Amino acid sequence: MAEQTFRETTENTADSITEASQAAAVMVQKAGSATTHKVIEKATEYKDVYTTIHEMVQHFWERVPYLIIALVVFIIFVLIGKLFKFFMNKALSNRLQNKKNLTMVLNRIGGILIIFVGFMIALVVAIPGFKAGQLVSALGIGSVAIGFAFKDIFQNLLSGILILLGEPFRIGDSIIVNGMEGTVEDIQVRATYLRSYDGRRLVIPNATVYTSPITVNTAYSQRRCEFVVGIGYDDDIAKAKQIIIEILNNDRLVLSQPAFTVIMTALADFSVNLTIRWWINTQETNIPASVSDIQEKVKMAFSDHGINIPYPIQELKMTNTTDATPMVFTPADTEALAPPQMPPKPPTQTP
């Protein structure tokens, strides 16, 4: 009986092992099939990617000669643009000596057009099937967006061209525009460059320059200088005028035409004011230097001839029961009569 039970148990165990082995084999077979299918799918994807990359590289190497030719064509047109500017400068420098801005406009516009034509030809060579009409139509579709995005650029560009053509000023002129003063260094596509008198660069958009009032200091070689000097009420006005006229006559940098003038312009609180005006040639001197020189000579001449240049004084009147004469105090006397200031007391220390 025991042997029969052991035999049945052994048979059942063998059957279970056999069934488990068959199930495991089926599962391994399914996993292998799925893995093989996945590997085949990934290999196919990688093959497609590899094929695409290979085709791109192959097409690139096929287009390399055309790209090189396009680059060479563009460089040739750039050199042609430079030669165009060189010959334009040679041809127009003698004929348009007073139209340097016009020469600059022709150079820049001609150079830009030549480079643009070269760029279009290079695109036709480098890109198969490209036509200039496609670029024009694309620009036409996005013209509204481009117009809003580049409004300021186009406005400054057009203003710069109009400034160069109209020539309200030239490079090297001293101008005042929008409260800024300096010497014009260059007129670019977007802005006008000034060099201020203290050595700073001022960049002003061309649209601002074109729409703002402009003062050109160097438009004419003759400039007028002036300053005001005061003399005392007791001094001889005619004598003071004659002294100033002699100084202007003897100064070689003061022009005789237009004539200089010395006129009385005000009866001020403390002085009789004389306004002196004369003209100079800015190619020989400048306004600050001339004004400083004449002022120094007038001061020395007035001192030599006893003519007073007054300064503000204060008059103090004191009255009482007896007759009193007024007393006049200058600012120096007022300071002398002021009570002396006591030094501050040292701080006291408490134990």
Side-chain angles (χ1 to χ4, degrees):
M1 188 66 181
E3 291 180 357
Q4 185 178 357
T5 303
F6 177 76
R7 190 178 299 168
E8 291 177 353
T9 303
T10 304
E11 292 177 354
N12 292 333
T13 302
D15 293 338
S16 299
I17 293 172
T18 303
E19 292 176 356
S21 299
Q22 293 177 353
V26 171
M27 291 179 63
V28 170
Q29 186 177 2
K30 290 182 178 180
S33 300
T35 303
T36 304
H37 183 68
K38 277 290 186 183
V39 169
I40 293 173
E41 287 183 355
K42 292 296 182 182
T44 305
E45 292 179 0
Y46 291 144
K47 182 180 179 181
D48 294 338
V49 173
Y50 172 77
T51 304
T52 304
I53 295 174
H54 179 70
E55 291 177 354
M56 291 175 61
V57 172
Q58 186 175 0
H59 286 303
F60 171 76
W61 286 113
E62 290 177 356
R63 299 305 304 176
V64 165
Y66 298 96
L67 294 175
I68 294 175
I69 294 173
L71 181 60
V72 172
V73 169
F74 182 73
I75 293 174
I76 290 174
F77 273 88
V78 171
L79 295 177
I80 292 174
K82 292 184 178 296
L83 289 175
F84 171 80
K85 293 180 180 180
F86 175 77
F87 286 114
M88 285 290 292
N89 287 329
K90 285 290 185 181
L92 299 178
S93 59
N94 296 328
R95 297 182 181 180
L96 300 176
Q97 292 182 355
N98 298 327
K99 296 289 184 180
K100 294 183 179 180
N101 289 350
L102 180 59
T103 304
M104 187 183 301
V105 172
L106 295 176
N107 284 341
R108 289 182 178 176
I109 294 178
I112 291 173
L113 287 177
I114 292 173
I115 293 175
F116 179 74
V117 172
F119 176 73
M120 297 297 294
I121 295 176
L123 285 179
V124 172
V125 174
I127 302 175
F130 175 81
K131 296 180 180 179
Q134 297 175 354
L135 181 61
V136 174
S137 61
L139 291 176
I141 294 174
S143 60
V144 177
I146 292 175
F148 280 107
F150 296 94
K151 180 184 69 173
D152 293 338
I153 296 177
F154 293 149
Q155 185 178 6
N156 289 323
L157 173 62
L158 181 60
S159 299
I161 294 174
L162 293 176
I163 289 171
L164 290 172
L165 291 176
E167 288 191 334
F169 54 85
R170 301 173 184 174
I171 294 176
D173 281 341
S174 174
I175 66 172
I176 303 174
V177 56
N178 204 25
M180 292 173 281
E181 183 174 2
T183 303
V184 180
E185 287 189 328
D186 195 7
I187 303 173
Q188 296 288 344
V189 173
R190 192 191 76 84
T192 298
Y193 292 80
L194 305 183
R195 179 181 177 86
S196 66
Y197 299 136
D198 56 356
R200 294 179 296 173
R201 171 173 289 178
L202 307 177
V203 182
I204 309 174
N206 287 330
T208 302
V209 177
Y210 186 73
T211 57
S212 299
I214 302 174
T215 302
V216 184
N217 296 329
T218 54
Y220 307 103
S221 59
Q222 295 182 352
R223 293 285 304 278
R224 192 184 74 177
C225 307
E226 70 173 71
F227 73 92
V228 179
V229 61
I231 63 174
Y233 274 90
D234 297 332
D235 294 314
D236 189 349
I237 298 176
K239 182 180 179 182
K241 286 184 177 181
Q242 186 60 35
I243 293 172
I244 297 172
I245 290 173
E246 290 179 0
I247 292 173
L248 297 175
N249 271 325
N250 296 328
D251 195 315
R252 66 176 186 84
L253 297 178
V254 176
L255 301 179
S256 58
Q257 292 295 330
F260 48 80
T261 59
V262 181
I263 58 175
M264 186 176 70
T265 53
L267 297 175
D269 294 336
F270 304 101
S271 63
V272 177
N273 291 343
L274 303 178
T275 300
I276 308 167
R277 295 189 179 98
W278 70 98
W279 291 78
I280 61 171
N281 189 342
T282 55
Q283 297 178 356
E284 298 178 355
T285 184
N286 55 65
I287 292 177
S290 182
V291 171
S292 175
D293 184 48
I294 298 299
Q295 283 180 337
E296 182 179 354
K297 291 179 179 178
V298 169
K299 172 63 173 64
M300 294 175 63
F302 279 6
S303 299
D304 294 340
H305 291 81
I307 296 178
N308 181 34
I309 299 179
Y311 51 86
I313 60 174
Q314 296 177 349
E315 184 175 327
L316 180 61
K317 294 184 178 180
M318 301 177 62
T319 60
N320 51 21
T321 54
T322 62
D323 294 335
T325 58
M327 301 177 64
V328 178
F329 295 94
T330 65
D333 296 332
T334 305
E335 294 179 359
L337 294 175
Q341 296 183 356
M342 299 298 294
K345 296 176 62 178
T348 58
Q349 299 181 356
T350 57

